[in-house]
Amino acid sequence: MTVLMVVVIVRHGLKVAEKRAKVKGRVVTGPPSPAMLGGLGGLAPVSTPHLIYFSDPMCSWCYGFSPVIEDIRRTFGRALPVRVVMGGLRPGTDTAMTEEAKLEVANHWVHVHEATGLPFDGSGMSAPGFTYDTDPAARAVVVARREGEEMAAAFLCRAQRAFYAEGLDVTTADVLAGLAEELGLVRASFLQAWASDEAKQETWRDYAISQRAGVTGFPTLVAGPNSEGVYGVVTRGFAPGEQVMPILKEWLDRIAV
C-alpha cells in the first residue's frame, strides 16, 4: 500500500473545565490536577518546572509533534525536563484491521505529512491480520522510562519513526527489542521486563493518569508548576514549533521573575 505523507494542523479535543480556567496568552491555567501533581509511572512528584507530555507511540499526530519535542529537549535541556505519560490511544485492540480501515488511517497520515513534511511508510500495518493495538509499544516506552525520562522520550521518538517512517510493526516484541538495543538497552532484560505483569500494570496506570487529567486527545503538552503550584495546558493536539517554543520561553521568563 502506498501511503502519501503529510499534515493539516488539527486540534484534538481535551475535555477541560474551561469555565474554571483562566487564559493567559496561549497557556490555559487552572486548579492543579492531582493526577498531574502526583507521581507519574512510579516516579516521585516534581516541584520544579517541567513538562508532562501525554502521547502514544502509534499516534500519527504525536509522530508529527516529535520534532517539536526534540527541539524542546535540545533548547531547554534539564532546565525544563519532559515527563512522558502514555495516553492509551487504542490499547487492547484485538480485531484485525480491514483494508478499508487501513486506507482510512492512511488518509489521516496524509494530513500529518502535509502539516509537518515527515515521511510515512504504510508497510508497518500492511500485513494481513495486522491489529492496531497500541499497548505493546506504549509498554515498551514505559519500560524504557525506568532508565530515566530522557530514555523514555528517546524510545518514544524512535518507536514513532520505526512505525511511521520505516514501516516496522511496533506491535511485535522482536521489533521493540531491536529498538531497545539501538538505544543501548539489554535485549533480554528489556524483553523480560516488557512481558511482565508489572509493566502491564504500570502502563495501564499511565492510561488512568491521562484519563483523570482530562486528556482525551494526543499529543497534549502540559507545563508546571508555577509559583502557585498551577499547571497549564501548552497545546491540545498538534501545534508547530514556532507556536510552542515562544509559549514555553514566555512562561519560563514569567515564573522566573
Side-chain angles (χ1 to χ4, degrees):
M1 176 179 61
T2 301
V3 180
L4 300 177
M5 358 213 102
V6 198
V7 169
V8 170
I9 297 175
V10 172
R11 294 287 181 178
H12 297 282
L14 177 61
K15 296 179 180 178
V16 175
E18 296 285 358
K19 56 187 176 184
R20 292 190 302 165
K22 295 181 294 183
V23 178
K24 295 182 178 179
R26 296 177 183 271
V27 179
V28 179
T29 63
S33 163
M36 293 178 183
L37 292 174
L40 300 175
L43 300 178
V46 176
S47 59
T48 54
H50 61 280
L51 300 175
I52 303 175
Y53 180 37
F54 296 93
S55 183
D56 191 286
M58 296 180 73
C59 161
S60 58
W61 285 106
C62 296
Y63 169 54
F65 196 60
S66 61
V68 181
I69 291 295
E70 290 305 298
D71 194 19
I72 290 171
R73 294 175 63 205
R74 285 192 300 267
T75 301
F76 299 104
R78 294 184 178 179
L80 192 61
V82 179
R83 310 185 81 189
V84 175
V85 179
M86 294 293 92
L89 183 64
R90 299 181 184 180
T93 299
D94 57 6
T95 303
M97 295 184 76
T98 64
E99 293 306 310
E100 291 76 14
K102 292 178 182 179
L103 287 174
E104 182 179 355
V105 169
N107 284 333
H108 290 302
W109 293 0
V110 169
H111 296 311
V112 179
H113 168 73
E114 288 174 345
T116 65
L118 292 177
F120 281 80
D121 182 333
S123 303
M125 64 174 184
S126 64
F130 174 79
T131 301
Y132 211 115
D133 180 7
T134 62
D135 188 62
R139 193 177 347 129
V141 175
V142 168
V143 171
R145 189 176 62 196
R146 295 175 178 177
E147 302 299 319
E149 289 294 346
E150 291 186 3
M151 178 61 76
F155 195 101
L156 174 62
C157 182
R158 183 65 188 95
Q160 289 168 336
R161 189 168 73 252
F163 181 58
Y164 289 108
E166 300 171 9
L168 299 178
D169 183 355
V170 296
T171 69
T172 65
D174 186 59
V175 168
L176 293 170
L179 301 181
E181 276 190 306
E182 284 185 28
L183 295 175
L185 302 178
V186 178
R187 184 186 186 92
S189 299
F190 172 85
L191 283 173
Q192 182 178 12
W194 177 82
S196 69
D197 288 338
E198 290 79 7
K200 295 175 184 178
Q201 293 168 6
E202 188 175 343
T203 305
W204 281 84
R205 282 198 297 271
D206 266 34
Y207 304 155
I209 289 170
S210 180
Q211 291 175 358
R212 290 199 304 271
V215 177
T216 59
F218 314 110
T220 290
L221 189 64
V222 172
N226 64 11
S227 59
E228 299 172 347
V230 173
Y231 283 70
V233 178
V234 178
T235 180
R236 306 171 180 132
F238 172 83
E242 55 265 30
Q243 290 183 16
V244 174
M245 297 301 285
I247 292 172
L248 294 177
K249 290 176 181 177
E250 178 187 355
W251 177 69
L252 284 172
D253 289 343
R254 187 165 63 244
I255 65 175
V257 175

